[in-house]
């Protein structure tokens, strides 16, 4: 208990020194005991120093820095801070000794007195230049340096020029490289029957997804606190899921009605309809960390604004689903005049009132072309139903 009391005294003394310094005068600010959540992990940083609300330095306080072990633990926390905040400086101290790190030389540190550290931190570039430097380093480190020159600053925020945001998302997700030529959708036998009978493909509103927590996955990962999109926005988004797994036992079991259903095989139509987005899903690793989301979190902290983030964020999922190898089709309806084409259902799984929209599968505007229907190995009356489906196809002239 005595050791804890001594540490708390040391911590408060250091916090007071920084709060009483010029680093707590506009445009600088000093914040203490900052929490950052990464999945299920919570990290606490003793002091974060900001310049014009941009993280500039992080201070880690230890009771003693007289041995290498204490210094090693402090350096580890500073490294986390560099990764989370992308700040320029890190400081470790026990209130007697002060050591300064720089993000570009994080393995080496120099011993300085407090006034020297404050003076060095104060020698910061203008906010605009600081933001650009941070962004350049973040993007370069993720093989996305080509986009540095395609950003522009307005009213304290950073925006992509022209259509560069779409190109950024596509490269981030490696969508063109990873998307296969054929997609597979496992479903019930009734689904195949209705598609052929009506010649339409249904996409359901994103609000009524099987796992409703997926809607919040991106926001929970990337933001400390964010207002959820309105239902007016969410009800404009419609989703359908396929995968790259052919004749897969797990997919038959999970989505193919225990192999009594069907698998629809689609070929991708390449058209210019920008209301549709077809992308591979990016999964977190087995530790539930997603490097792409780590990058996006840094960009958001550095005031980058993504105009289409409420669409693209639905192509990220937790590691629990990685076995599915999902490819998602997203449709964004921004034409309110077409509202009469949208209908509503109550979902069977969650009893959620949900919109849906149907598309003519014979029209080239729809990005998926039905090539094959595979009946599950346990499909009832499989021979008879196979012949009947063929007869529907013949009579409909597909």
């Amino acid at each position: 208990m005595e050791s804890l009391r001594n540490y708390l005294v040391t911590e408060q003394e250091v916090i007071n020194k920084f709060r009483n310094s010029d680093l707590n005068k506009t445009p600088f600010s000093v914040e203490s005991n900052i929490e950052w959540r990464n999945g299920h992990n919570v990290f606490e940083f003793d002091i974060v120093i900001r310049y014009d609300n941009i993280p500039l330095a992080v201070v880690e306080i230890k009771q003693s820095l007289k041995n290498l072990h204490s210094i090693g633990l402090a350096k580890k926390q500073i490294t986390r801070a560099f990764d989370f905040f992308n700040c320029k400086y890190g400081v470790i101290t026990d209130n007697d000794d002060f050591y300064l790190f720089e993000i570009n030389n994080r393995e080496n540190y120099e011993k300085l007195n407090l006034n020297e550290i404050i003076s060095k931190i104060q020698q910061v570039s203008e906010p605009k230049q600081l933001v650009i430097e941070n962004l350049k380093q973040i993007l370069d480190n993720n093989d996305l340096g080509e986009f540095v020159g395609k950003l522009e600053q307005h009213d304290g925020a950073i925006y992509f020029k022209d259509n560069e945001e779409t190109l950024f998302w596509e490269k981030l997700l490696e969508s063109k490289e990873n998307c296969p030529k054929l997609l597979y959708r496992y479903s019930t036998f009734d689904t195949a029957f209705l598609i052929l009978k009506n010649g339409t493909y249904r996409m359901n509103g994103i609000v009524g997804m099987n796992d409703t927590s997926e809607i919040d996955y991106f926001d929970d990962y990337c933001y400390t606190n964010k207002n959820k999109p309105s239902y007016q926005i969410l009800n404009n988004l419609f989703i359908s899921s396929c995968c790259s797994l052919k004749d897969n036992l797990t997919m038959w079991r999970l989505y193919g009605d225990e192999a009594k259903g069907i698998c629809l095989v689609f070929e991708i139509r390449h058209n210019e309809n920008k209301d549709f987005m077809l992308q591979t899903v990016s999964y977190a690793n087995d530790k539930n960390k997603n490097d792409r989301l780590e990058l996006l979190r840094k960009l958001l902290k550095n005031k980058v604004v993504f105009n289409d983030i409420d669409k693209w964020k639905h192509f990220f999922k937790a590691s629990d689903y990685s076995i599915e190898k999902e490819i998602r089709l997203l449709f964004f309806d921004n034409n309110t005049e077409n509202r009469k084409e949208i209908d509503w259902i109550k979902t069977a799984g969650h009893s959620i009132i949900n919109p849906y929209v149907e598309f003519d599968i014979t029209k080239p505007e729809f990005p998926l072309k039905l090539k094959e229907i595979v009946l599950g190995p346990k499909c009832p009356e499989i021979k008879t139903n196979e012949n009947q489906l063929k007869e529907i196809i013949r009579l409909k002239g597909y």
Side-chain angles (χ1 to χ4, degrees), residues 55-103:
L56 177 60
V58 170
V59 181
E60 175 66 11
I61 305 168
K62 294 295 181 187
Q63 185 172 347
S64 173
L65 294 176
K66 303 304 182 187
N67 59 70
L68 293 176
H69 179 67
S70 294
I71 293 176
L73 291 175
K75 286 175 65 177
K76 186 175 181 180
Q77 188 72 344
I78 291 297
T79 298
R80 287 195 183 115
F82 283 149
D83 292 338
F84 288 151
F85 296 112
N86 202 57
C87 51
K88 191 175 180 66
Y89 297 108
V91 178
I92 60 174
T93 181
D94 58 2
N95 202 23
D96 291 325
D97 297 324
F98 291 81
Y99 298 93
L100 182 70
F101 299 77
E102 292 194 42
I103 190 170

Side-chain angles (χ1 to χ4, degrees), residues 166-213:
T166 297
L167 298 176
F168 170 85
W169 286 108
E170 288 179 347
K171 181 156 186 182
L172 181 70
L173 288 164
E174 299 174 343
S175 54
K176 296 189 186 305
E177 296 89 342
N178 291 341
C179 203
K181 292 182 179 179
L182 294 178
L183 307 182
Y184 304 89
R185 177 171 174 80
Y186 295 81
S187 191
T188 63
F189 182 78
D190 288 348
T191 297
F193 169 65
L194 291 173
I195 287 176
L196 294 180
K197 175 177 176 287
N198 300 323
T200 58
Y201 185 92
R202 176 178 292 189
M203 293 182 66
N204 293 312
I206 208 161
V207 175
M209 293 168 65
N210 287 338
D211 186 350
T212 53
S213 66

Side-chain angles (χ1 to χ4, degrees), residues 260-371:
K260 297 189 292 290
I262 49 88
C263 177
L264 304 172
V265 184
F266 292 102
E267 183 179 76
I268 299 173
R269 287 187 178 116
H270 297 285
N271 57 47
E272 299 301 319
N273 192 336
K274 305 216 181 297
D275 293 333
F276 289 100
M277 299 164 66
L278 184 66
Q279 307 289 339
T280 54
V281 169
S282 172
Y283 297 100
N285 61 22
D286 55 2
K287 296 181 180 178
N288 233 359
K289 179 180 178 182
N290 187 310
D291 290 337
R292 293 180 175 93
L293 290 184
E294 293 292 330
L295 165 63
L296 288 168
R297 183 159 60 182
K298 291 178 185 177
L299 295 178
L300 291 166
K301 289 288 288 185
N302 279 271
K303 301 187 176 182
V304 175
V305 174
F306 296 95
N307 291 319
D308 291 331
I309 199 167
D310 285 328
K311 303 175 194 175
W312 288 96
K313 70 182 182 181
H314 297 294
F315 296 103
F316 298 89
K317 294 182 71 172
S319 59
D320 298 344
Y321 302 95
S322 60
I323 193 174
E324 298 176 3
K325 306 293 182 188
E326 185 178 351
I327 296 102
R328 281 185 165 176
L329 178 65
L330 197 73
F331 172 71
F332 179 67
D333 176 40
N334 57 6
N335 186 355
T336 53
E337 293 180 1
N338 289 337
R339 273 304 189 190
K340 61 180 181 295
E341 299 177 8
I342 294 175
D343 209 338
W344 297 77
I345 58 170
K346 183 166 73 68
T347 63
H350 303 95
S351 295
I352 294 174
I353 297 173
N354 201 37
Y356 72 87
V357 63
E358 293 186 331
F359 299 93
D360 188 332
I361 61 171
T362 66
K363 298 273 182 75
E365 291 81 10
F366 187 65
L368 301 182
K369 181 179 181 180
L370 185 58
K371 296 290 290 183

